[in-house]
Amino acid sequence: MDSTARNIALVPPPDRRQSETALAIARGTARLLRSLGFTCISELPLPSGRRADLVALNERGEIWIVEIKSSVEDLRADQKWHEYRAHCDRLFFAFTQDLPCEIFPQDTGLIIADAYGAHLHCEAPEHKLPAPTRKQMTVRFAMAAALRINRLVDPQGHADFWE
């Protein structure tokens, strides 16, 4: 039984918007998040219209957003990260050990990462989401994850769906 689904990679190819450094940071950070009991999804569209680099969800329903920064210039050019706080319980920046921690906002958590792993350098302050926002983000997370799986199984059948 020959199926085209068998030939589809379990991990979609990169969409080419991220640098190799950003992709490595995302990979290491995702490994850390899994070790902390979270599952994560990359490039999740938020209700505000922005896209979060990584959104993590644990079994208690806690939602973390991680903004990936690959350079000082990347951080300086980013004026949208403040908007992510409205969609998570904790907000983090993830970056390589080459960047100084002092350049990041003090009211965010810090994760230092490379392609193989990461460590939580500084815990993020908690700001609990209102219940309706938590539900909206949890449903958005689940829908995006299910659509990505469905696209792997049936790429032609899901080309027009939202994400």
Side-chain angles (χ1 to χ4, degrees):
M1 176 164 101
D2 191 14
S3 168
T4 57
R6 289 185 187 167
N7 299 324
I8 298 170
L10 289 178
V11 178
D15 64 11
R16 306 285 181 232
R17 284 184 291 191
Q18 299 86 11
S19 68
E20 289 299 318
T21 302
L23 290 171
I25 294 167
R27 178 178 155 184
T29 300
R31 288 179 175 187
L32 170 68
L33 292 169
R34 280 192 296 277
S35 76
L36 296 172
F38 286 82
T39 59
C40 65
I41 191 165
S42 62
E43 296 296 320
L44 182 68
L46 301 173
S48 65
R50 301 286 187 195
R51 271 184 195 267
D53 292 333
L54 288 176
V55 177
L57 176 69
N58 69 13
E59 66 183 16
R60 293 185 313 273
E62 188 174 1
I63 298 170
W64 292 4
I65 290 181
V66 180
E67 180 67 5
I68 295 169
K69 294 297 163 206
S70 57
S71 67
V72 174
E73 296 77 22
D74 186 15
L75 177 64
R76 287 186 181 146
D78 183 0
Q79 300 301 312
K80 65 189 182 315
W81 68 266
H82 294 83
E83 297 176 33
Y84 298 151
R85 195 178 306 276
H87 306 289
C88 63
D89 295 302
R90 295 179 192 260
L91 179 62
F92 293 84
F93 282 97
F95 53 96
T96 67
Q97 65 182 2
D98 299 332
L99 297 180
C101 295
E102 298 77 32
I103 66 172
F104 293 94
Q106 290 184 355
D107 60 345
T108 61
L110 302 178
I111 296 170
I112 300 174
D114 62 22
Y116 304 101
H119 80 277
L120 197 55
H121 180 72
C122 178
E123 189 71 52
E126 185 177 54
H127 45 275
K128 291 239 179 226
L129 286 174
T133 304
R134 181 176 314 287
K135 179 180 178 185
Q136 181 183 39
M137 284 298 295
T138 302
V139 169
R140 187 170 284 265
F141 186 99
M143 292 289 295
L147 283 170
R148 290 179 188 184
I149 291 169
N150 289 333
R151 284 187 193 146
L152 290 173
V153 174
D154 181 12
Q156 295 81 19
H158 292 82
D160 297 332
F161 282 92
W162 160 88
E163 186 184 345

